[in-house]
Amino acid sequence: MSTRQLTRPGTALLRRLREPAPPQPERCAFCGSAVPVDHRHLVDTEEQALTCVCTACSLLFQQPGAAGGRYRTVPDRYLADPDHRIGDREWTALGVPVGTAFVFRNSRHDRLVLLYPGPGGATESEPDEAAWQTALGGGRLAAELRPDVEALLLRRTAADGIRCFLVPIDACYELVGRLRRCWKGFDGGQEARAELDAFFTRVAGRVRPLRTEAGS
């Protein structure tokens, strides 16, 4: 009976097998340079997708007509209108089945899109135009809203009622991703609720009243 000796892996190889590979740095989709964790994004209006970019490229695509208008830089402003209130009746008319949602305008199809987070990601619906106008369309935040790149983020709680913020669209998708990773059961569970609270605490810390933004 013949035998053969198996080569044993060295210590360095065992360490590499045990330890996950370090994540590769994200890179700008246009110039290829590495981008920091808090990098900017563009919206590809044809694909309705977010693209990572460096600061220089984000400034380039802020210019009117850059790339024929296909790519638009996501702004970094967070606004609230302290004078605007949304009642329970208006909320119900919007048809949001959960306590958090966001609305943006899709310029390619010239329509409003309403999305709300859940275990499978973002669920999409098209709000009734009359309900939109009653709840949000006549407000100053809606007048400020930039198509494709910003959204009106809504949250309804027993303590604070219904709050509305104008935020970058990538912040909304960040929230969707965070909740999807920790969602459990029908209502998300304790971890998802804690993640939601922490996210809105960060948003509240960045929000500026609309009156200070006007004309800037």
Side-chain angles (χ1 to χ4, degrees):
M1 179 178 177
S2 62
T3 62
R4 60 190 180 94
Q5 185 175 1
L6 297 177
T7 302
R8 298 181 61 187
T11 303
L13 176 58
L14 287 174
R15 186 181 299 114
R16 289 199 299 270
L17 292 173
R18 287 196 303 265
E19 298 174 356
Q24 296 298 311
E26 291 189 88
R27 296 192 173 275
C28 175
F30 291 90
C31 70
S33 62
V35 295
V37 174
D38 57 346
H39 56 270
R40 302 289 295 275
H41 292 98
L42 302 180
V43 170
D44 180 339
T45 59
E46 291 187 9
E47 300 293 334
Q48 282 299 304
L50 289 169
T51 301
C52 301
V53 289
C54 65
T55 300
C57 289
S58 73
L59 293 174
L60 174 65
F61 285 100
Q62 283 180 350
Q63 304 304 314
R70 173 175 176 174
Y71 297 100
R72 298 180 182 177
T73 300
V74 178
D76 59 358
R77 62 179 186 166
Y78 290 72
L79 302 175
D81 182 1
D83 299 325
H84 185 70
R85 296 287 183 270
I86 302 172
D88 290 334
R89 181 177 299 177
E90 290 82 7
W91 175 269
T92 301
L94 283 174
V96 183
V98 294
T100 302
F102 60 97
V103 184
F104 75 95
R105 184 169 289 280
N106 181 315
S107 64
R108 185 181 183 190
H109 299 290
D110 191 26
R111 68 182 181 94
L112 292 168
V113 179
L114 185 148
L115 300 104
Y116 49 89
T123 300
E124 178 180 329
S125 67
E126 188 170 352
D128 178 77
E129 186 67 31
W132 155 262
Q133 289 297 335
T134 300
L136 296 161
R140 294 191 299 158
L141 285 180
E144 284 282 330
L145 186 65
R146 298 172 186 172
D148 303 309
V149 295
E150 293 181 324
L152 297 184
L153 178 62
L154 304 162
R155 191 186 188 194
R156 183 187 192 186
T157 63
D160 300 318
I162 302 163
R163 294 185 295 168
C164 179
F165 305 103
L166 186 152
V167 303
I169 191 72
D170 53 5
C172 296
Y173 286 111
E174 176 193 349
L175 173 62
V176 169
R178 287 177 177 273
L179 293 179
R180 184 178 183 179
R181 287 195 296 268
C182 64
W183 194 283
K184 291 181 175 60
F186 176 75
D187 63 353
Q190 184 175 353
E191 186 178 354
R193 289 191 292 272
E195 187 69 63
L196 193 62
D197 289 340
F199 179 85
F200 274 93
T201 296
R202 292 193 295 273
V203 168
R206 300 189 64 174
V207 160
R208 297 164 57 186
L210 184 59
R211 66 174 67 94
T212 65
E213 180 75 9
S216 63

